[in-house]
């Protein structure tokens, strides 16, 4: 799959830009202290929606006002996705997983998880297993959301 920059992230679908709206959106980010902000490389690797950008992120509420800060006033994998979603106006859908006490991404723009595929999160090439809001990230980290077959 060809990688493109997020500025032109939405691939053309039937000659028009794909822009599906999902039921959940991220909340507005509150002012974060400069010390809490980090700049990371965020990669999204879906079937039709893919790209890599640099994004500045910090701890913030996401869906339904849940503070996403890894319990330590830290930026997280999910806040990176939320800030990219806000900045580049693509939609994200997620459901709350009671066992993780966190949100699980079910769709990023046109790419939806299904019975055979799920969105996985990686930080510096390590699979996140405890949820994106529990995955603290640091300056210069690589965060990747990838749609993968369920094993």
């Amino acid at each position: 799959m060809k990688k493109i920059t997020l500025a032109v992230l939405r691939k053309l679908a039937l000659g028009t830009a794909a822009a599906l709206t999902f039921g959940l959106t991220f909340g507005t980010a509150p002012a974060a202290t400069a010390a809490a902000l980090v700049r990371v490389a965020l990669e999204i690797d879906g079937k039709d929606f893919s790209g890599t950008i640099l994004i500045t992120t910090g701890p913030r509420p996401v869906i339904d006002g849940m503070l996403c800060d890894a319990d330590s006033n830290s930026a997280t994998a999910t806040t990176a996705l939320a800030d990219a979603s806000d900045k580049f106006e693509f939609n994200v859908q997620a459901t709350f997983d009671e066992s993780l006490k966190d949100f699980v991404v079910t769709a990023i723009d046109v790419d939806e998880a299904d019975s055979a595929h799920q969105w996985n999160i990686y930080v510096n090439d390590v699979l996140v297993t405890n949820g994106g809001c529990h995955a603290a990230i640091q300056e210069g980290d690589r965060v990747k959301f990838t749609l993968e077959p369920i094993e």
Side-chain angles (χ1 to χ4, degrees):
M1 177 184 307
K2 180 181 171 189
K3 297 292 179 195
I4 53 179
T5 63
L6 199 56
V8 290
L9 187 62
R10 292 187 179 100
K11 289 189 175 185
L12 294 182
L14 303 176
T16 60
L20 297 181
T21 302
F22 297 104
L24 299 175
T25 58
F26 289 113
T28 303
T33 63
L37 294 177
V38 297
R39 189 165 172 91
V40 298
L42 173 68
E43 180 178 353
I44 300 169
D45 188 10
K47 292 183 223 173
D48 292 314
F49 188 79
S50 297
T52 302
I53 58 149
L54 293 177
I55 192 76
T56 300
T57 189
R60 62 174 280 187
V62 289
I63 302 167
D64 294 333
M66 177 185 150
L67 182 60
C68 190
D69 71 348
D71 300 322
S72 63
N73 198 34
S74 298
T76 69
T78 300
T79 62
L81 181 64
D83 287 326
S85 170
D86 289 349
K87 183 173 182 175
F88 294 100
E89 299 180 349
F90 61 88
N91 294 295
V92 175
Q93 185 174 13
T95 58
F96 190 78
D97 182 312
E98 191 61 42
S99 66
L100 290 175
K101 302 288 187 219
D102 204 342
F103 291 96
V104 175
V105 173
T106 57
I108 298 176
D109 206 67
V110 297
D111 288 325
E112 295 183 42
D114 56 31
S115 62
H117 296 85
Q118 66 187 10
W119 282 100
N120 286 323
I121 307 168
Y122 296 85
V123 175
N124 298 324
D125 300 319
V126 176
L127 178 65
V128 172
T129 58
N130 60 343
C133 283
H134 298 294
I137 57 175
Q138 299 175 15
E139 183 76 23
D141 280 351
R142 292 179 325 278
V143 178
K144 182 177 181 180
F145 285 79
T146 183
L147 190 61
E148 298 178 324
I150 297 172
E151 295 181 11

